[in-house]
Amino acid sequence: SLQGLVQQNIVVAVEAPPLITHFCSNYGRPAVLCDSKHLVLSCSGSGDPIPNVTITGMGIVEFRSIGASFVAVYREALQHTGYSNYTCLATNIHGTVNSGCYITIGNSP
């Protein structure tokens, strides 16, 4: 008998810390800026809530958006040293994660 049984629906909201899902994937080697005048870096993040994504580095202004960021790195910004490091940060209420990218100036093969 089901007498006295109370049935209730429960909603469970699962949140997750941020995760960088894509940024400068070059298998541990530097990205190389060859003949072109610029290179586009993109960074994507996931989590719940969706993280704010920021890319910082030499020659760019800090750029933020929700879920993904795209920024152009111009050759002139790297001319002085020939290389630079860039960082992607993904932040939500559960924390912050980061990933780095190293870019050098090179010549076409």
Side-chain angles (χ1 to χ4, degrees), residues 2-88:
L2 298 176
Q3 257 182 326
L5 182 65
V6 176
Q7 182 178 1
Q8 218 172 1
N9 292 328
I10 299 174
V11 176
V12 177
V14 178
E15 294 189 346
L19 175 69
I20 294 175
T21 57
H22 170 79
F23 182 59
C24 196
S25 176
N26 204 21
Y27 306 104
R29 297 185 310 261
V32 179
L33 178 58
C34 291
D35 297 329
S36 64
K37 294 183 180 184
H38 71 280
L39 176 71
V40 175
L41 290 179
S42 64
C43 181
S44 302
S46 65
D48 189 3
I50 296 171
N52 288 317
V53 176
T54 306
I55 298 175
T56 59
M58 184 187 336
I60 61 170
V61 176
E62 182 177 54
F63 184 82
R64 298 173 186 233
S65 74
I66 296 178
S69 286
F70 301 90
V71 67
V73 176
Y74 289 91
R75 189 178 190 89
E76 293 81 26
L78 304 179
Q79 290 291 60
H80 183 65
T81 60
Y83 66 91
S84 188
N85 290 307
Y86 295 86
T87 302
C88 175

